Amino acid sequence: MIKIFNTMGKKLEELQTVEPNTVKMYVCGPTVYDYVHIGHGRTFVAFDAMVRYLKLRGYNVIRVQNITDIDDKIIKKAQDTGKDWTEIVDFYLKDYIDAMGQLKVEIDQHPRVSTHIKEITEFIQGLINKGHAYVAPSGSVYFDVDTFPSYGLLSGTKKEEWNQGEEFMKEKRHPYDFALWKAWKPGEPYWESPWGKGRPGWHIECSTMSTRYLGEQFDIHGGGVDLVFPHHENERAQSEALLGKTWVKYWVHVSYLTINKEKMSKSLKNIIPLNEAIKKWGTNTLRYWFLTAKYRNTIDFSEDSLSQASTSLRRLKDAMGVLRGIIKAGPKYYSNDEQVKTQRKIISLIQKFHEALSEDFDTATALSYIHEIATIVFNEIQTSEDFMGAMLALDAFRQFNYVYGVMDEEFNLAYDNLNKVIDAVVEVRNILRAKKMYDLSDQIRDVLSKAGIKLLDSKDKTTWRFE
Ligand SMILES: Nc1ncnc2c1ncn2[C@@H]1O[C@H](COP(=O)(O)OP(=O)(O)OP(=O)(O)O)[C@@H](O)[C@H]1O
Ligand SMILES: [Zn+2]
């Protein structure tokens, strides 16, 4: 059983999918007006780990993550830089797609607002027809919050507390009504609509595109915690007003990545671009670091915490090197009592790993069990050369990697031949060492190290791992 924390109702709930064995997930993606940063990376990788765990547990998962390519901030950036808004969007969209690819975040559909205007205007028309929205004299369309009695249930915010700024007060029925369609102003991009030239408001895009790709009811709708109000509250109001039923089953929100205890944010100008971070620390270390924290806890950036993550991941790779050596030596036909005890410990740690991930995708606790297995590898399996223990530990690491995606090189079939070549080189080096030709054997170690392969010499054996 998988439990998931639902922001709606603020409690852990058992995952019961709308369609059997299928999880449909919509994550609010970036507004492409600046470099994608590691704060976004944290949220998108957190959902990635959820997707991977659900797949490991046998679910089909469909993940849709939108791209906001029309927005006040994009228009402002275009005006400030004297560029066309499409140029801004193309540039930062590429930056985002590159980063997601490098970070190994798998997304099935990336719908863009600008390619869904027809669907958005139909959604808005539906709301007008049902009396939930009204057209103001300017041609802007607003959602009439008073027509949706359960407004505020998701975030716990009272509509009266929402101060929307003065600009549109005059034409709105209530200060808390929000824009579905914004009438055109000179200098802004526009599309034709039944209410004249204009562009969509922010919230309506996600209601429209999620429903289009995932249906009128889907399982998980997520994003960072900053989206609970007003974005998700408004999305829910629009969607349930139009569809007349519960729209999303589980609302899931990831806490902030902070820097100096402040939210990392484009608007606060304290960002570390994701692509720079990938270059500096590498995909594996970054993913690992993101997942060392439970997704509902804040993670604070520091160079130190990243270097700790790197060391800690290296420890797991070292353990893999040990396992590889033992397994390569071939099966044993008997396990002694101590070895059987070790094997049972590993089986129970694998169960705990699953329990942690099943309890609201607790990647932090699950990771601690994988490290306990690594300790067993170093302290017990390595010395007793326990083949079955090594096989069980390898399986634990394979499942771990399926979810965390931080040591693919170790498992990727494409690396099989490379593994054989490295084994052969290590064997030649062992012969050289046996003949006390240390100069040459050290040279081999250095050359391999330059190629990202680290040799680990112990008493009478050499294991290796990818850096
Ligand atoms: N510092 C952060 N930590 C975790 N998630 C974040 C952070 N900043 C943004 N996100 C999440 O990333 C997704 C895309 O965000 P979007 O581009 O709308 O960012 P934003 O909040 O407007 O960014 P910014 O605050 O940097 O201008 C959203 O789900 C948002 O909640
Ligand atoms: Zn959204």
Side-chain angles (χ1 to χ4, degrees):
M1 186 216 307
I2 293 178
K3 287 192 191 153
I4 188 162
F5 186 86
N6 197 345
T7 306
M8 176 66 98
K10 296 196 173 39
K11 59 178 192 313
L12 274 182
E13 285 178 31
E14 194 180 318
L15 177 68
Q16 304 268 11
T17 55
V18 177
E19 281 177 38
N21 284 323
T22 299
V23 176
K24 297 180 183 176
M25 175 189 279
Y26 184 91
V27 178
C28 289
T31 306
V32 282
Y33 74 101
D34 205 338
Y35 293 108
V36 61
H37 58 72
I38 58 173
H40 302 133
R42 194 261 162 123
T43 290
F44 301 149
V45 168
F47 282 105
D48 188 58
M50 291 179 207
V51 169
R52 286 161 175 257
Y53 187 60
L54 290 164
K55 286 185 177 171
L56 182 66
R57 293 288 299 270
Y59 287 95
N60 307 310
V61 186
I62 306 167
R63 175 176 179 172
V64 176
Q65 186 162 305
N66 70 300
I67 292 153
T68 302
D69 62 352
I70 301 167
D71 183 76
D72 295 352
K73 293 175 190 168
I74 296 172
I75 295 169
K76 183 168 183 317
K77 179 111 180 190
Q79 285 163 352
D80 289 352
T81 56
K83 291 187 174 146
D84 192 70
W85 68 277
T86 53
E87 210 181 315
I88 303 285
V89 163
D90 289 350
F91 181 83
Y92 293 110
L93 177 61
K94 182 176 178 314
D95 175 67
Y96 160 70
I97 297 288
D98 280 355
M100 290 302 100
Q102 289 202 64
L103 259 193
K104 301 186 275 192
V105 171
E106 286 172 19
I107 297 164
D108 300 300
Q109 178 77 267
H110 300 257
R112 292 174 64 159
V113 186
S114 61
T115 52
H116 292 78
I117 301 292
K118 178 174 152 285
E119 290 80 2
I120 291 172
T121 53
E122 284 166 3
F123 202 107
I124 297 173
Q125 190 60 57
L127 285 168
I128 298 173
N129 295 349
K130 282 192 143 188
H132 289 291
Y134 55 91
V135 186
S138 65
S140 288
V141 184
Y142 295 96
F143 185 82
D144 187 343
V145 172
D146 279 356
T147 66
F148 187 72
S150 75
Y151 189 86
L153 213 57
L154 176 64
S155 62
T157 311
K158 292 198 177 62
K159 59 190 178 192
E160 293 78 8
E161 290 166 8
W162 191 23
N163 179 1
Q164 254 259 302
E166 292 303 310
E167 193 183 350
F168 303 103
M169 284 310 184
K170 286 188 289 297
E171 64 173 19
K172 292 199 293 186
R173 286 185 191 160
H174 317 99
Y176 38 77
D177 292 348
F178 56 89
L180 300 170
W181 185 260
K182 295 183 173 181
W184 178 68
K185 285 196 251 139
E188 292 186 353
Y190 65 85
W191 287 261
E192 296 296 344
S193 81
W195 323 288
K197 289 176 187 171
R199 62 188 166 97
W202 174 28
H203 319 296
I204 195 70
E205 65 179 83
C206 289
S207 287
T208 306
M209 297 192 293
S210 56
T211 304
R212 174 169 174 78
Y213 294 105
L214 301 176
E216 294 189 356
Q217 255 194 333
F218 57 93
D219 303 291
I220 296 178
H221 192 329
V225 272
D226 52 331
L227 299 187
V228 179
F229 187 86
H231 187 50
H232 287 166
E233 192 71 71
N234 291 356
E235 277 191 44
R236 175 180 164 266
Q238 301 158 161
S239 303
E240 297 199 353
L242 182 74
L243 303 169
K245 59 183 165 206
T246 303
W247 178 53
V248 165
K249 289 198 76 172
Y250 309 95
W251 291 90
V252 177
H253 295 98
V254 178
S255 279
Y256 293 139
L257 182 148
T258 54
I259 180 162
N260 301 321
K261 308 279 175 215
E262 230 184 0
K263 182 197 173 200
M264 181 169 289
S265 149
K266 293 176 278 202
S267 10
L268 294 173
K269 300 207 178 342
N270 60 0
I271 69 167
I272 298 177
L274 194 45
N275 280 311
E276 267 178 32
I278 295 169
K279 246 187 236 139
K280 184 160 178 191
W281 290 291
T283 296
N284 293 339
T285 299
L286 260 186
R287 282 187 66 100
Y288 184 95
W289 177 63
F290 289 143
L291 297 172
T292 54
K294 187 171 163 33
Y295 79 89
R296 286 197 290 124
N297 292 343
T298 301
I299 184 167
D300 194 45
F301 167 82
S302 71
E303 296 259 351
D304 262 10
S305 63
L306 269 146
S307 88
Q308 275 167 27
S310 163
T311 310
S312 167
L313 173 57
R314 204 166 292 155
R315 181 173 185 268
L316 299 182
K317 292 187 174 189
D318 285 348
M320 273 293 292
V322 170
L323 295 178
R324 198 183 284 115
I326 291 168
I327 291 164
K328 204 174 57 198
K332 302 279 159 49
Y333 303 100
Y334 178 78
S335 293
N336 63 33
D337 290 351
E338 279 307 305
Q339 290 173 329
V340 171
K341 247 194 239 159
T342 299
Q343 294 154 12
R344 295 211 172 124
K345 273 197 275 186
I346 295 174
I347 291 166
S348 123
L349 286 165
I350 295 175
Q351 277 162 358
K352 286 184 170 166
F353 168 80
H354 279 283
E355 277 161 23
L357 288 174
S358 301
E359 186 86 358
D360 200 25
F361 308 103
D362 183 350
T363 53
T365 307
L367 182 59
S368 71
Y369 296 127
I370 294 300
H371 273 283
E372 278 190 45
I373 292 177
T375 305
I376 292 177
V377 171
F378 296 126
N379 295 349
E380 300 175 33
I381 296 178
Q382 185 166 26
T383 34
S384 80
E385 301 192 342
D386 174 7
F387 183 84
M388 177 162 165
M391 289 298 284
L392 292 173
L394 184 75
D395 189 42
F397 283 13
R398 185 176 287 122
Q399 297 191 53
F400 158 73
N401 185 53
Y402 190 93
V403 181
Y404 292 65
V406 293
M407 37 202 259
D408 289 339
E409 294 79 0
E410 311 283 337
F411 291 100
N412 197 330
L413 274 183
Y415 284 85
D416 258 13
N417 286 335
L418 177 61
N419 287 352
K420 285 185 192 140
V421 173
I422 301 169
D423 283 346
V425 175
V426 171
E427 219 172 294
V428 172
R429 179 172 172 269
N430 285 343
I431 296 169
L432 296 174
R433 291 178 80 205
K435 293 186 172 171
K436 305 208 183 321
M437 297 167 77
Y438 295 118
D439 271 10
L440 267 180
S441 77
D442 285 355
Q443 240 172 305
I444 292 177
R445 188 196 54 213
D446 296 346
V447 170
L448 285 177
S449 163
K450 275 187 205 139
I453 294 143
K454 167 113 176 145
L455 299 188
L456 308 150
D457 293 320
S458 63
K459 295 190 295 294
D460 49 356
K461 207 184 281 151
T462 300
T463 55
W464 61 267
R465 62 161 161 76
F466 293 107
E467 279 293 9

